[in-house]
mmCIF file of all heavy atoms in Angstrom:
data_model
loop_
_atom_site.group_PDB
_atom_site.id
_atom_site.type_symbol
_atom_site.label_atom_id
_atom_site.label_comp_id
_atom_site.label_asym_id
_atom_site.label_seq_id
_atom_site.Cartn_x
_atom_site.Cartn_y
_atom_site.Cartn_z
ATOM 1 N N PHE A 1 30.658 -118.532 6.255
ATOM 2 C CA PHE A 1 31.778 -118.439 7.196
ATOM 3 C C PHE A 1 31.203 -118.140 8.574
ATOM 4 O O PHE A 1 30.055 -117.714 8.708
ATOM 5 C CB PHE A 1 32.826 -117.390 6.779
ATOM 6 C CG PHE A 1 32.295 -116.030 6.436
ATOM 7 C CD1 PHE A 1 31.933 -115.120 7.432
ATOM 8 C CD2 PHE A 1 32.175 -115.642 5.116
ATOM 9 C CE1 PHE A 1 31.469 -113.852 7.096
ATOM 10 C CE2 PHE A 1 31.703 -114.374 4.770
ATOM 11 C CZ PHE A 1 31.347 -113.482 5.758
ATOM 12 N N ARG A 2 32.026 -118.429 9.583
ATOM 13 C CA ARG A 2 31.637 -118.130 10.958
ATOM 14 C C ARG A 2 32.395 -116.893 11.423
ATOM 15 O O ARG A 2 33.605 -116.812 11.267
ATOM 16 C CB ARG A 2 31.968 -119.307 11.878
ATOM 17 C CG ARG A 2 31.695 -118.994 13.358
ATOM 18 C CD ARG A 2 32.077 -120.151 14.261
ATOM 19 N NE ARG A 2 31.155 -121.256 14.131
ATOM 20 C CZ ARG A 2 29.962 -121.317 14.730
ATOM 21 N NH1 ARG A 2 29.538 -120.330 15.498
ATOM 22 N NH2 ARG A 2 29.188 -122.362 14.559
ATOM 23 N N LEU A 3 31.658 -115.939 11.966
ATOM 24 C CA LEU A 3 32.282 -114.751 12.543
ATOM 25 C C LEU A 3 32.350 -114.918 14.054
ATOM 26 O O LEU A 3 31.403 -115.403 14.667
ATOM 27 C CB LEU A 3 31.454 -113.510 12.213
ATOM 28 C CG LEU A 3 31.469 -113.082 10.750
ATOM 29 C CD1 LEU A 3 30.409 -112.023 10.516
ATOM 30 C CD2 LEU A 3 32.850 -112.562 10.360
ATOM 31 N N THR A 4 33.473 -114.519 14.620
ATOM 32 C CA THR A 4 33.637 -114.560 16.076
ATOM 33 C C THR A 4 34.160 -113.197 16.509
ATOM 34 O O THR A 4 34.974 -112.598 15.808
ATOM 35 C CB THR A 4 34.648 -115.661 16.465
ATOM 36 O OG1 THR A 4 34.243 -116.880 15.852
ATOM 37 C CG2 THR A 4 34.690 -115.863 17.969
ATOM 38 N N TRP A 5 33.681 -112.725 17.629
ATOM 39 C CA TRP A 5 34.121 -111.412 18.119
ATOM 40 C C TRP A 5 34.173 -111.422 19.637
ATOM 41 O O TRP A 5 33.561 -112.269 20.291
ATOM 42 C CB TRP A 5 33.193 -110.315 17.592
ATOM 43 C CG TRP A 5 31.752 -110.451 17.986
ATOM 44 C CD1 TRP A 5 31.159 -109.999 19.122
ATOM 45 C CD2 TRP A 5 30.710 -111.086 17.224
ATOM 46 N NE1 TRP A 5 29.819 -110.311 19.117
ATOM 47 C CE2 TRP A 5 29.512 -110.977 17.958
ATOM 48 C CE3 TRP A 5 30.672 -111.736 15.978
ATOM 49 C CZ2 TRP A 5 28.294 -111.492 17.514
ATOM 50 C CZ3 TRP A 5 29.471 -112.252 15.531
ATOM 51 C CH2 TRP A 5 28.297 -112.126 16.289
ATOM 52 N N PRO A 6 34.933 -110.469 20.208
ATOM 53 C CA PRO A 6 35.039 -110.415 21.675
ATOM 54 C C PRO A 6 33.702 -110.022 22.303
ATOM 55 O O PRO A 6 32.862 -109.393 21.658
ATOM 56 C CB PRO A 6 36.101 -109.333 21.912
ATOM 57 C CG PRO A 6 36.178 -108.556 20.646
ATOM 58 C CD PRO A 6 35.774 -109.476 19.533
ATOM 59 N N LYS A 7 33.536 -110.419 23.542
ATOM 60 C CA LYS A 7 32.286 -110.108 24.248
ATOM 61 C C LYS A 7 32.309 -108.650 24.675
ATOM 62 O O LYS A 7 33.022 -108.275 25.597
ATOM 63 C CB LYS A 7 32.133 -111.033 25.459
ATOM 64 C CG LYS A 7 30.787 -110.879 26.151
ATOM 65 C CD LYS A 7 30.595 -111.996 27.159
ATOM 66 C CE LYS A 7 29.305 -111.806 27.941
ATOM 67 N NZ LYS A 7 28.097 -111.756 27.083
ATOM 68 N N LEU A 8 31.563 -107.821 23.950
ATOM 69 C CA LEU A 8 31.535 -106.387 24.259
ATOM 70 C C LEU A 8 30.253 -106.005 24.972
ATOM 71 O O LEU A 8 30.231 -105.095 25.793
ATOM 72 C CB LEU A 8 31.649 -105.572 22.962
ATOM 73 C CG LEU A 8 32.898 -105.835 22.131
ATOM 74 C CD1 LEU A 8 32.805 -105.127 20.793
ATOM 75 C CD2 LEU A 8 34.144 -105.381 22.889
ATOM 76 N N LEU A 9 29.167 -106.694 24.639
ATOM 77 C CA LEU A 9 27.857 -106.354 25.183
ATOM 78 C C LEU A 9 27.297 -107.542 25.950
ATOM 79 O O LEU A 9 27.840 -108.635 25.911
ATOM 80 C CB LEU A 9 26.882 -106.023 24.038
ATOM 81 C CG LEU A 9 27.338 -104.991 23.001
ATOM 82 C CD1 LEU A 9 26.330 -104.910 21.873
ATOM 83 C CD2 LEU A 9 27.530 -103.641 23.655
ATOM 84 N N SER A 10 26.183 -107.315 26.607
ATOM 85 C CA SER A 10 25.401 -108.422 27.143
ATOM 86 C C SER A 10 23.989 -108.247 26.600
ATOM 87 O O SER A 10 23.695 -107.267 25.913
ATOM 88 C CB SER A 10 25.390 -108.386 28.673
ATOM 89 O OG SER A 10 24.637 -107.263 29.104
ATOM 90 N N GLN A 11 23.114 -109.186 26.927
ATOM 91 C CA GLN A 11 21.755 -109.095 26.423
ATOM 92 C C GLN A 11 21.086 -107.800 26.901
ATOM 93 O O GLN A 11 20.236 -107.240 26.228
ATOM 94 C CB GLN A 11 20.957 -110.307 26.916
ATOM 95 C CG GLN A 11 19.719 -110.572 26.084
ATOM 96 C CD GLN A 11 19.192 -111.970 26.310
ATOM 97 O OE1 GLN A 11 19.821 -112.769 26.995
ATOM 98 N NE2 GLN A 11 18.036 -112.265 25.757
ATOM 99 N N ASP A 12 21.515 -107.321 28.064
ATOM 100 C CA ASP A 12 20.866 -106.153 28.666
ATOM 101 C C ASP A 12 21.447 -104.829 28.174
ATOM 102 O O ASP A 12 20.820 -103.791 28.317
ATOM 103 C CB ASP A 12 21.012 -106.197 30.192
ATOM 104 C CG ASP A 12 20.467 -107.494 30.757
ATOM 105 O OD1 ASP A 12 19.500 -108.031 30.175
ATOM 106 O OD2 ASP A 12 21.024 -107.977 31.760
ATOM 107 N N THR A 13 22.684 -104.859 27.624
ATOM 108 C CA THR A 13 23.330 -103.581 27.330
ATOM 109 C C THR A 13 23.273 -103.208 25.861
ATOM 110 O O THR A 13 23.809 -102.173 25.480
ATOM 111 C CB THR A 13 24.803 -103.575 27.795
ATOM 112 O OG1 THR A 13 25.501 -104.603 27.084
ATOM 113 C CG2 THR A 13 24.912 -103.803 29.287
ATOM 114 N N GLY A 14 22.676 -104.044 25.012
ATOM 115 C CA GLY A 14 22.573 -103.652 23.616
ATOM 116 C C GLY A 14 22.530 -104.832 22.679
ATOM 117 O O GLY A 14 22.297 -105.965 23.081
ATOM 118 N N TYR A 15 22.775 -104.535 21.400
ATOM 119 C CA TYR A 15 22.778 -105.576 20.366
ATOM 120 C C TYR A 15 23.841 -105.202 19.339
ATOM 121 O O TYR A 15 24.434 -104.112 19.398
ATOM 122 C CB TYR A 15 21.401 -105.696 19.697
ATOM 123 C CG TYR A 15 20.947 -104.445 18.982
ATOM 124 C CD1 TYR A 15 21.227 -104.258 17.630
ATOM 125 C CD2 TYR A 15 20.264 -103.432 19.663
ATOM 126 C CE1 TYR A 15 20.837 -103.101 16.964
ATOM 127 C CE2 TYR A 15 19.874 -102.268 19.003
ATOM 128 C CZ TYR A 15 20.163 -102.111 17.653
ATOM 129 O OH TYR A 15 19.789 -100.976 17.011
ATOM 130 N N TYR A 16 24.105 -106.122 18.411
ATOM 131 C CA TYR A 16 25.074 -105.866 17.354
ATOM 132 C C TYR A 16 24.339 -105.704 16.027
ATOM 133 O O TYR A 16 23.408 -106.458 15.743
ATOM 134 C CB TYR A 16 26.045 -107.038 17.213
ATOM 135 C CG TYR A 16 26.868 -107.303 18.443
ATOM 136 C CD1 TYR A 16 26.497 -108.309 19.338
ATOM 137 C CD2 TYR A 16 28.020 -106.575 18.716
ATOM 138 C CE1 TYR A 16 27.250 -108.567 20.472
ATOM 139 C CE2 TYR A 16 28.784 -106.834 19.846
ATOM 140 C CZ TYR A 16 28.394 -107.833 20.723
ATOM 141 O OH TYR A 16 29.140 -108.082 21.834
ATOM 142 N N SER A 17 24.770 -104.730 15.237
ATOM 143 C CA SER A 17 24.354 -104.653 13.835
ATOM 144 C C SER A 17 25.487 -105.231 13.011
ATOM 145 O O SER A 17 26.637 -104.793 13.141
ATOM 146 C CB SER A 17 24.115 -103.211 13.401
ATOM 147 O OG SER A 17 22.918 -102.745 13.952
ATOM 148 N N LEU A 18 25.135 -106.192 12.177
ATOM 149 C CA LEU A 18 26.145 -106.840 11.358
ATOM 150 C C LEU A 18 25.841 -106.540 9.899
ATOM 151 O O LEU A 18 24.726 -106.742 9.440
ATOM 152 C CB LEU A 18 26.087 -108.347 11.612
ATOM 153 C CG LEU A 18 27.125 -109.176 10.889
ATOM 154 C CD1 LEU A 18 28.502 -108.886 11.450
ATOM 155 C CD2 LEU A 18 26.802 -110.653 11.059
ATOM 156 N N GLU A 19 26.838 -106.036 9.187
ATOM 157 C CA GLU A 19 26.673 -105.760 7.761
ATOM 158 C C GLU A 19 27.745 -106.521 7.008
ATOM 159 O O GLU A 19 28.901 -106.547 7.422
ATOM 160 C CB GLU A 19 26.840 -104.258 7.481
ATOM 161 C CG GLU A 19 25.806 -103.399 8.158
ATOM 162 C CD GLU A 19 26.068 -101.913 7.968
ATOM 163 O OE1 GLU A 19 27.152 -101.552 7.440
ATOM 164 O OE2 GLU A 19 25.185 -101.125 8.352
ATOM 165 N N TYR A 20 27.349 -107.151 5.898
ATOM 166 C CA TYR A 20 28.356 -107.797 5.056
ATOM 167 C C TYR A 20 28.019 -107.512 3.602
ATOM 168 O O TYR A 20 26.886 -107.615 3.168
ATOM 169 C CB TYR A 20 28.480 -109.292 5.347
ATOM 170 C CG TYR A 20 27.189 -110.068 5.391
ATOM 171 C CD1 TYR A 20 26.813 -110.885 4.335
ATOM 172 C CD2 TYR A 20 26.358 -110.000 6.516
ATOM 173 C CE1 TYR A 20 25.625 -111.607 4.384
ATOM 174 C CE2 TYR A 20 25.178 -110.712 6.568
ATOM 175 C CZ TYR A 20 24.820 -111.517 5.490
ATOM 176 O OH TYR A 20 23.648 -112.227 5.545
ATOM 177 N N THR A 21 29.054 -107.118 2.875
ATOM 178 C CA THR A 21 28.886 -106.571 1.535
ATOM 179 C C THR A 21 29.914 -107.185 0.591
ATOM 180 O O THR A 21 31.111 -107.143 0.901
ATOM 181 C CB THR A 21 29.116 -105.045 1.565
ATOM 182 O OG1 THR A 21 28.364 -104.489 2.637
ATOM 183 C CG2 THR A 21 28.725 -104.404 0.258
ATOM 184 N N PRO A 22 29.494 -107.719 -0.562
ATOM 185 C CA PRO A 22 30.484 -108.154 -1.565
ATOM 186 C C PRO A 22 31.263 -106.925 -2.021
ATOM 187 O O PRO A 22 30.664 -105.921 -2.411
ATOM 188 C CB PRO A 22 29.637 -108.718 -2.715
ATOM 189 C CG PRO A 22 28.260 -108.895 -2.171
ATOM 190 C CD PRO A 22 28.114 -107.937 -1.023
ATOM 191 N N ARG A 23 32.593 -107.013 -1.948
ATOM 192 C CA ARG A 23 33.402 -105.839 -2.225
ATOM 193 C C ARG A 23 33.152 -105.296 -3.626
ATOM 194 O O ARG A 23 33.150 -104.093 -3.863
ATOM 195 C CB ARG A 23 34.875 -106.196 -2.073
ATOM 196 C CG ARG A 23 35.656 -105.102 -1.453
ATOM 197 C CD ARG A 23 37.030 -105.576 -1.109
ATOM 198 N NE ARG A 23 37.978 -105.085 -2.102
ATOM 199 C CZ ARG A 23 39.137 -105.665 -2.330
ATOM 200 N NH1 ARG A 23 39.474 -106.747 -1.677
ATOM 201 N NH2 ARG A 23 39.955 -105.174 -3.219
ATOM 202 N N ALA A 24 32.916 -106.189 -4.586
ATOM 203 C CA ALA A 24 32.730 -105.759 -5.975
ATOM 204 C C ALA A 24 31.328 -105.201 -6.223
ATOM 205 O O ALA A 24 31.097 -104.562 -7.238
ATOM 206 C CB ALA A 24 33.003 -106.933 -6.905
ATOM 207 N N GLU A 25 30.402 -105.497 -5.317
ATOM 208 C CA GLU A 25 29.014 -105.073 -5.535
ATOM 209 C C GLU A 25 28.441 -104.458 -4.265
ATOM 210 O O GLU A 25 27.644 -105.076 -3.568
ATOM 211 C CB GLU A 25 28.154 -106.272 -5.933
ATOM 212 C CG GLU A 25 28.593 -106.953 -7.210
ATOM 213 C CD GLU A 25 27.730 -108.166 -7.498
ATOM 214 O OE1 GLU A 25 26.626 -107.989 -8.021
ATOM 215 O OE2 GLU A 25 28.157 -109.283 -7.161
ATOM 216 N N PRO A 26 28.840 -103.225 -3.978
ATOM 217 C CA PRO A 26 28.401 -102.585 -2.725
ATOM 218 C C PRO A 26 26.880 -102.500 -2.595
ATOM 219 O O PRO A 26 26.359 -102.448 -1.488
ATOM 220 C CB PRO A 26 29.027 -101.187 -2.802
ATOM 221 C CG PRO A 26 30.114 -101.288 -3.813
ATOM 222 C CD PRO A 26 29.750 -102.380 -4.763
ATOM 223 N N ALA A 27 26.182 -102.517 -3.716
ATOM 224 C CA ALA A 27 24.722 -102.403 -3.650
ATOM 225 C C ALA A 27 24.089 -103.650 -3.027
ATOM 226 O O ALA A 27 22.931 -103.623 -2.618
ATOM 227 C CB ALA A 27 24.152 -102.175 -5.046
ATOM 228 N N ARG A 28 24.847 -104.738 -2.975
ATOM 229 C CA ARG A 28 24.276 -105.972 -2.447
ATOM 230 C C ARG A 28 24.576 -106.156 -0.971
ATOM 231 O O ARG A 28 24.713 -107.273 -0.482
ATOM 232 C CB ARG A 28 24.780 -107.172 -3.265
ATOM 233 C CG ARG A 28 24.165 -107.182 -4.659
ATOM 234 C CD ARG A 28 24.632 -108.363 -5.459
ATOM 235 N NE ARG A 28 24.420 -109.618 -4.745
ATOM 236 C CZ ARG A 28 25.082 -110.743 -5.007
ATOM 237 N NH1 ARG A 28 26.003 -110.754 -5.926
ATOM 238 N NH2 ARG A 28 24.816 -111.839 -4.322
ATOM 239 N N LYS A 29 24.679 -105.049 -0.271
ATOM 240 C CA LYS A 29 24.928 -105.104 1.172
ATOM 241 C C LYS A 29 23.772 -105.805 1.885
ATOM 242 O O LYS A 29 22.614 -105.589 1.556
ATOM 243 C CB LYS A 29 25.081 -103.686 1.723
ATOM 244 C CG LYS A 29 25.227 -103.656 3.236
ATOM 245 C CD LYS A 29 25.864 -102.373 3.675
ATOM 246 C CE LYS A 29 24.818 -101.345 4.043
ATOM 247 N NZ LYS A 29 25.434 -100.150 4.655
ATOM 248 N N ARG A 30 24.113 -106.664 2.843
ATOM 249 C CA ARG A 30 23.088 -107.300 3.660
ATOM 250 C C ARG A 30 23.388 -106.989 5.115
ATOM 251 O O ARG A 30 24.550 -106.818 5.494
ATOM 252 C CB ARG A 30 23.096 -108.818 3.443
ATOM 253 C CG ARG A 30 22.585 -109.193 2.059
ATOM 254 C CD ARG A 30 22.213 -110.647 2.014
ATOM 255 N NE ARG A 30 23.294 -111.440 1.433
ATOM 256 C CZ ARG A 30 23.271 -112.771 1.348
ATOM 257 N NH1 ARG A 30 22.240 -113.442 1.822
ATOM 258 N NH2 ARG A 30 24.264 -113.430 0.816
ATOM 259 N N SER A 31 22.341 -106.921 5.918
ATOM 260 C CA SER A 31 22.586 -106.629 7.328
ATOM 261 C C SER A 31 21.619 -107.425 8.191
ATOM 262 O O SER A 31 20.564 -107.855 7.737
ATOM 263 C CB SER A 31 22.432 -105.136 7.595
ATOM 264 O OG SER A 31 21.145 -104.721 7.216
ATOM 265 N N GLN A 32 22.027 -107.659 9.421
ATOM 266 C CA GLN A 32 21.138 -108.304 10.376
ATOM 267 C C GLN A 32 21.505 -107.863 11.775
ATOM 268 O O GLN A 32 22.618 -107.399 12.025
ATOM 269 C CB GLN A 32 21.176 -109.818 10.237
ATOM 270 C CG GLN A 32 22.495 -110.491 10.505
ATOM 271 C CD GLN A 32 22.431 -111.971 10.091
ATOM 272 O OE1 GLN A 32 22.786 -112.338 8.992
ATOM 273 N NE2 GLN A 32 21.967 -112.808 10.992
ATOM 274 N N GLN A 33 20.541 -107.989 12.671
ATOM 275 C CA GLN A 33 20.788 -107.665 14.070
ATOM 276 C C GLN A 33 21.058 -108.944 14.842
ATOM 277 O O GLN A 33 20.448 -109.973 14.581
ATOM 278 C CB GLN A 33 19.573 -106.964 14.681
ATOM 279 C CG GLN A 33 19.436 -105.542 14.208
ATOM 280 C CD GLN A 33 18.378 -104.796 14.991
ATOM 281 O OE1 GLN A 33 17.856 -105.293 15.986
ATOM 282 N NE2 GLN A 33 18.066 -103.590 14.537
ATOM 283 N N VAL A 34 21.991 -108.848 15.774
ATOM 284 C CA VAL A 34 22.394 -110.004 16.564
ATOM 285 C C VAL A 34 22.276 -109.617 18.030
ATOM 286 O O VAL A 34 22.714 -108.539 18.432
ATOM 287 C CB VAL A 34 23.849 -110.413 16.243
ATOM 288 C CG1 VAL A 34 24.193 -111.709 16.948
ATOM 289 C CG2 VAL A 34 24.058 -110.530 14.745
ATOM 290 N N SER A 35 21.695 -110.487 18.804
ATOM 291 C CA SER A 35 21.504 -110.241 20.232
ATOM 292 C C SER A 35 22.843 -109.966 20.921
ATOM 293 O O SER A 35 23.884 -110.512 20.537
ATOM 294 C CB SER A 35 20.818 -111.469 20.841
ATOM 295 O OG SER A 35 21.086 -111.542 22.216
ATOM 296 N N GLY A 36 22.825 -109.117 21.946
ATOM 297 C CA GLY A 36 24.049 -108.701 22.631
ATOM 298 C C GLY A 36 24.774 -109.815 23.363
ATOM 299 O O GLY A 36 25.936 -109.653 23.742
ATOM 300 N N ASP A 37 24.090 -110.973 23.589
ATOM 301 C CA ASP A 37 24.798 -112.054 24.293
ATOM 302 C C ASP A 37 25.537 -112.986 23.329
ATOM 303 O O ASP A 37 26.158 -113.945 23.750
ATOM 304 C CB ASP A 37 23.832 -112.849 25.189
ATOM 305 C CG ASP A 37 22.630 -113.363 24.422
ATOM 306 O OD1 ASP A 37 22.546 -113.122 23.198
ATOM 307 O OD2 ASP A 37 21.770 -113.994 25.052
ATOM 308 N N HIS A 38 25.481 -112.708 22.018
ATOM 309 C CA HIS A 38 26.203 -113.543 21.047
ATOM 310 C C HIS A 38 27.650 -113.098 20.908
ATOM 311 O O HIS A 38 27.946 -111.899 21.006
ATOM 312 C CB HIS A 38 25.543 -113.456 19.664
ATOM 313 C CG HIS A 38 24.337 -114.319 19.521
ATOM 314 N ND1 HIS A 38 23.249 -114.215 20.341
ATOM 315 C CD2 HIS A 38 24.058 -115.315 18.641
ATOM 316 C CE1 HIS A 38 22.334 -115.106 19.969
ATOM 317 N NE2 HIS A 38 22.800 -115.782 18.940
ATOM 318 N N THR A 39 28.547 -114.045 20.668
ATOM 319 C CA THR A 39 29.915 -113.690 20.295
ATOM 320 C C THR A 39 30.327 -114.402 19.018
ATOM 321 O O THR A 39 31.493 -114.345 18.625
ATOM 322 C CB THR A 39 30.918 -114.061 21.406
ATOM 323 O OG1 THR A 39 30.763 -115.459 21.703
ATOM 324 C CG2 THR A 39 30.691 -113.234 22.659
ATOM 325 N N SER A 40 29.383 -115.102 18.368
ATOM 326 C CA SER A 40 29.710 -115.682 17.067
ATOM 327 C C SER A 40 28.417 -115.925 16.298
ATOM 328 O O SER A 40 27.331 -115.968 16.870
ATOM 329 C CB SER A 40 30.515 -116.977 17.207
ATOM 330 O OG SER A 40 29.666 -118.075 17.368
ATOM 331 N N LEU A 41 28.576 -116.050 14.987
ATOM 332 C CA LEU A 41 27.423 -116.215 14.111
ATOM 333 C C LEU A 41 27.905 -116.799 12.791
ATOM 334 O O LEU A 41 28.961 -116.407 12.290
ATOM 335 C CB LEU A 41 26.779 -114.845 13.842
ATOM 336 C CG LEU A 41 25.511 -114.845 12.987
ATOM 337 C CD1 LEU A 41 24.344 -115.437 13.769
ATOM 338 C CD2 LEU A 41 25.191 -113.439 12.528
ATOM 339 N N VAL A 42 27.137 -117.731 12.235
ATOM 340 C CA VAL A 42 27.456 -118.257 10.909
ATOM 341 C C VAL A 42 26.658 -117.473 9.868
ATOM 342 O O VAL A 42 25.444 -117.339 9.971
ATOM 343 C CB VAL A 42 27.124 -119.762 10.810
ATOM 344 C CG1 VAL A 42 27.320 -120.263 9.383
ATOM 345 C CG2 VAL A 42 27.999 -120.556 11.770
#
């Protein structure tokens, strides 16, 4: 799926931590860092 979010940061002011977890299996949480100039990610 594609995630889209409002522009909160810029490349200079920070980055986003993205976590996504199957609801039935919390142990399978995955995370990634996304540059602050992004507003969407597949």
Side-chain angles (χ1 to χ4, degrees):
F1 50 78
R2 175 182 288 280
L3 290 169
T4 308
W5 60 86
K7 186 169 176 58
L8 302 172
L9 309 174
S10 69
Q11 200 163 354
D12 304 328
T13 61
Y15 62 92
Y16 298 99
S17 286
L18 183 69
E19 297 175 352
Y20 49 104
T21 312
R23 218 170 102 203
E25 299 177 81
R28 289 181 53 201
K29 175 159 94 172
R30 290 197 262 176
S31 58
Q32 62 190 94
Q33 286 190 9
V34 187
S35 156
D37 54 1
H38 280 58
T39 55
S40 86
L41 183 71
V42 174

